[in-house]
Structures are given as C-alpha cells and as structure tokens.
Amino acid sequence: VSKMSITNTPTSNDACLSIVHSLMCHRQGGESETFAKRAIESLVKKLKEKKDELDSLITAITTNGAHPSKCVTIQRTLDGRLQVAGRKGFPHVIYARLWRWPDLHKNELKHVKYCQFAFDLKADNVCVNPYHYERVVSPGIGTLMVKDEYEFENQPSHSSADGHHQTIQHQPSRPGGPQESFSSPALLPPPEGSSSASTSAFSSLAAGASTPDYWCSIAYFEMDVQVGETFKVPASCPTVTVDGYVDPSGGDRFCLGQLSNVHRTEAIERARLHIGKGVQLECKGEGDVWVRCLSDHAVFVQSYYLDREAGRAPGDAVHKIYPSAYIKVFDLRQCHRQMQQQAATAQAAAAAQAAAVAGNIPGPGSVGGIAPAISLSAAAGIGVDDLRRLCILRMSFVKGWGPDYPRQSIKETPCWIEIHLHRALQLLDEVLHTMPIADPQPLD
C-alpha cells in the first residue's frame, strides 16, 4: 500500500472507491478480502447521503479510535441481521470483527454509554461504529471455541437459493486462551443414564483395542491425479506435519515440495508455492484427530465431525481453517456410532426390500425403525463406500471449493490431501463383520 493512501485520509466528499480503499487498509484480516470489500462498500454507499456520519466512520477507523466520534448508523433490518456476500450476521458484530477483533464472538459486545443507537437499544437505526462498542469476554468462551465459530453469519442464509453449501470459517482462538481445555480424551465415560448399545460396544472395543501399526495414511493429489506414493504415519508418531518443503519425507513429516508430476500446470505450481509450513495433524487418545494450520494461507477441510458440530448434514459444508487455528476435525466415538446406525439402517432396508420383492409386504411397524420418509431403496443403497467415507478426511491447501468458489469439488483444487484413518477403518471392518451389508444392487 503506498504511503499516500494512508497519510492522505479521504473525506466524505471523495469517491466511494478511495474511501473503501483507505478503510480496507485498516481491516484486521480475519475475513477474506472479497468479504471485507463487499461489507465496506455496502456501508460506504449507505452513508454517502449522511456525510457527517461517513466522516465520523473515516475518522474513527483511520485513527484507531483515538478521537471521540459520532454514531455511524444504518437502518435496522427485520431480523436485525445484515446480509453481506451471501452470509448473514449482526451488523455491529460484522464491522467490529472487520476493524477491531477478528475472533470476536457475537455475545461479547457491550456498547459505550454515549452511543445513542447501539444495537441493544432496538432503535430503528443501528450504530455500527466499532469504537462505540467494548469487548467483554464472557467466562468460558475459550472452551466454547469449536462450537461458537459456526454461530452468527456462517449459518446459510435461508433466503439464498443455494444457501445449503457454505464455507464455514474457523478462526484461531485468542492468544493465551485456554488452548487445551477442549481436548477431550478419546474415551469419555458415557453420558449419564445412557446405556445405549453403541456406547457399551465402543467401550468393549476400546478395551481390547488392537492399535494399528500406522494411525493414518496420506495421499497427495493435484486436481484428480494422485502424485507420489501414499505416506503412512506410524503409531509412534502421533503428530505428523504435511508441508511444501523439498526435504525427504519420513517418520513424522511428509514433504510435498519434492514430488514431481508431469501433468502439473502453472496454476498448480503457483498454488504449491503457498503451502509453506502446511498443516500438523495430531492423533489424540485412540483416534480423535486435531489439525493445526501452520501455513500463512487457510486450509479447507471436509469433515463430517465439523459438519455435525455446525448442525449441518454430513458432507454438506466446507470448513475454512485459518492460519494458526487449532481445531478438532474427527471424533472416533461419534464416527463409530454413525457407522453402526448407517449399517443397521441399510441392513433393515435391504431386508424389507427383499420381503417386498417376494410379495410379503411388511406391516408399517416392521421396517427396523426406519421412518417411511427414507425411501427403502435409498436406505438399501447405503454401500460400504458410504461408510468408508466416514473414516476419511480431505483437505485442500490455499484454494477452497464449493458454492463460494469457482471450483465445485475438491478434485478441482490444485493441491490437496486425503487422510485415511486406520483405527476408524478397523472399527468399520468389525461393524461390517457383525452387520454385513450388500453393495447396492441396481434396481430393475
């Protein structure tokens, strides 16, 4: 950024573009540039008719709140939330995150006494001046980090037609916050009063857990082509780093920099340069997995555990993990429960289907507890591959995919890895042994 744009602070009489440019220089970097730009453009346009408020905003932001400033208001919407770039959030939170606290949680803002249009005052106009709010950290917020990342604007907006697939953002927790407080041992005692079969089955499996020699294997891809050999991580290395350097791989380090690919394009070459320190994968307890992003660029993860935590259908979302964030991406016990449920569902459906084909239409209560809402053929169509997918993580470096990006699937991203979790796959074998499911037969 040239010195000019910082020292020559614009005024409300300047063009929108130069005001936006100046305000962009002060953002905190928690959001993507595109999102920040859209949010700032929309605010500047709304304030173009209210010159004194626009000047207040410019002064507050460019001096980092050094001078007292007036309220900067926009009209309150019906549900109180503002939509920017397909995401919804409370306006005062969006702008406070943008210019002051990138990891702010929506319940942490308290307005200053002299703010007349603070969000909580429920006036027709809402003040979005970030320096009219103070941050109050509620107790225990650090321990909530994993779940809280999803609240607020990352819920798909129900108004957008394709709102179903969205990138869910995971910021790093506050420095000095309780980093480890939410790492739970893999085998928690079952919740009070739950004597469900799956919990007891899990405890007994765990009791005789035969730990695999390798806890995971990692395959590296460029677009839809696997490059290099699959890298196996021995159980003796619970933490493994996958980075972009050219050192030889081995033990707890998989270096992607030295792998060659005759089909590599210039775009892939460029993306690979940004892998840098990459990611660290950590196996905790019997098979839970945590990821730390060491790269200067975000990584994008497909994780059924995070989908469930975010209240989304498995496979429905892509999770953007920001540099230096540390987050749990796989829970062995939850995965095991899911396998058992899906295998049981598929088995019951196949049996019911076979009975129907034979002409013995079973009574409504006998479909193994499957609600008629799931068509039998869909439930019977759950194959071994669907269950294997529960034991696999996929992660793209630098580039995202999904509706927010030009790439629709991870196989269109320039450099990504697929991680097979061996303990989970072992449990899947045991589940399939007790509940064999036929691979779906094509229906005539």
Side-chain angles (χ1 to χ4, degrees):
V1 173
S2 68
K3 265 209 168 83
M4 289 288 290
S5 64
I6 292 180
T7 50
N8 292 4
T9 308
T11 70
S12 56
N13 296 321
D14 284 302
C16 280
L17 205 62
S18 49
I19 299 174
V20 169
H21 179 76
S22 174
L23 296 176
M24 278 291 278
C25 298
H26 293 268
R27 67 197 181 97
Q28 293 299 306
E31 295 291 0
S32 72
E33 193 171 347
T34 326
F35 179 86
K37 200 165 177 200
R38 291 237 198 125
I40 295 173
E41 277 172 350
S42 105
L43 180 56
V44 170
K45 282 183 185 147
K46 286 177 184 152
L47 297 173
K48 225 23 196 158
E49 302 306 307
K50 302 191 271 191
K51 289 201 185 315
D52 54 335
E53 293 191 21
L54 183 49
D55 281 323
S56 273
L57 175 72
I58 296 170
T59 306
I61 303 306
T62 55
T63 64
N64 297 330
H67 304 295
S69 49
K70 295 201 194 83
C71 283
V72 175
T73 62
I74 60 175
Q75 207 170 354
R76 182 184 291 272
T77 57
L78 282 174
D79 69 351
R81 295 189 306 164
L82 178 70
Q83 181 155 334
V84 177
R87 283 165 37 191
K88 276 193 155 188
F90 295 117
H92 62 312
V93 179
I94 290 181
Y95 294 106
R97 273 187 173 184
L98 210 58
W99 282 308
R100 291 192 74 181
W101 305 286
D103 57 350
L104 178 74
H105 178 254
K106 67 166 188 267
N107 299 334
E108 292 180 321
L109 285 184
K110 197 177 109 193
H111 60 270
V112 295
K113 285 194 193 69
Y114 52 84
C115 180
Q116 300 169 308
F117 295 97
F119 183 80
D120 294 339
L121 300 177
K122 302 274 192 288
D124 287 345
N125 286 338
V126 179
C127 176
V128 293
N129 182 339
Y131 292 94
H132 276 204
Y133 294 88
E134 284 163 357
R135 183 175 190 170
V136 286
V137 177
S138 41
I141 214 83
T143 52
L144 291 172
M145 175 195 115
V146 176
K147 292 210 174 73
D148 286 347
E149 288 311 337
Y150 308 105
E151 295 193 11
F152 162 66
E153 78 270 18
N154 299 322
Q155 294 302 348
S157 63
H158 296 295
S159 58
S160 69
D162 62 345
H164 109 122
H165 222 88
Q166 223 107 343
T167 312
I168 294 176
Q169 323 236 333
H170 303 266
Q171 308 280 1
S173 59
R174 226 149 291 124
Q179 275 265 273
E180 300 299 327
S181 57
F182 34 78
S183 67
S184 50
L187 295 169
L188 292 169
E192 286 306 304
S194 87
S195 59
S196 72
S198 67
T199 314
S200 53
F202 192 90
S203 314
S204 64
L205 280 171
S210 51
T211 329
D213 296 340
Y214 297 95
W215 71 266
C216 76
S217 50
I218 306 170
Y220 168 65
F221 292 84
E222 291 176 0
M223 313 291 272
D224 56 355
V225 177
Q226 182 173 349
V227 176
E229 300 289 309
T230 298
F231 182 79
K232 289 185 167 175
V233 185
S236 57
C237 299
T239 303
V240 60
T241 306
V242 183
D243 61 40
Y245 299 119
V246 294
D247 303 320
S249 298
D252 61 355
R253 188 163 173 218
F254 183 17
C255 296
L256 307 176
Q258 37 91 15
L259 300 174
S260 56
N261 170 12
V262 291
H263 304 291
R264 188 170 291 155
T265 61
E266 214 174 302
I268 295 175
E269 199 66 81
R270 272 200 308 274
R272 276 168 54 84
L273 294 175
H274 294 296
I275 297 173
K277 294 181 182 166
V279 292
Q280 207 173 47
L281 305 168
E282 189 179 347
C283 180
K284 290 196 178 185
E286 198 189 331
D288 291 357
V289 180
W290 290 65
V291 166
R292 191 186 295 277
C293 177
L294 303 174
S295 171
D296 295 337
H297 293 265
V299 291
F300 297 81
V301 177
Q302 185 178 50
S303 148
Y304 288 177
Y305 168 75
L306 287 178
D307 294 342
R308 285 186 71 133
E309 289 290 295
R312 306 295 281 276
D316 193 36
V318 178
H319 301 268
K320 180 174 186 177
I321 298 186
Y322 281 86
S324 78
Y326 176 60
I327 196 161
K328 182 176 181 179
V329 291
F330 180 80
D331 184 288
L332 186 68
R333 171 181 261 179
Q334 186 201 69
C335 174
H336 185 233
R337 259 201 309 266
Q338 230 171 333
M339 287 171 195
Q340 289 178 313
Q341 285 163 356
Q342 289 196 12
T345 303
Q347 217 184 14
Q353 212 179 26
V357 171
N360 319 327
I361 304 296
S366 62
V367 192
I370 299 179
I374 296 187
S375 73
L376 285 183
S377 57
I382 297 174
V384 176
D385 277 352
D386 298 290
L387 294 178
R388 280 181 67 84
R389 225 165 272 148
L390 300 173
C391 313
I392 294 172
L393 294 166
R394 287 174 155 189
M395 192 177 299
S396 164
F397 294 99
V398 191
K399 300 290 184 185
W401 78 94
D404 299 342
Y405 295 91
R407 297 160 292 275
Q408 284 316 294
S409 109
I410 196 169
K411 291 183 176 178
E412 294 168 35
T413 63
C415 34
W416 58 281
I417 52 177
E418 184 169 87
I419 303 144
H420 289 239
L421 302 170
H422 295 186
R423 181 66 187 126
L425 287 162
Q426 222 178 30
L427 290 179
L428 176 59
D429 282 345
E430 293 171 25
V431 167
L432 291 173
H433 205 76
T434 52
M435 287 187 268
I437 60 176
D439 261 328
Q441 299 301 313
L443 296 170
D444 304 330

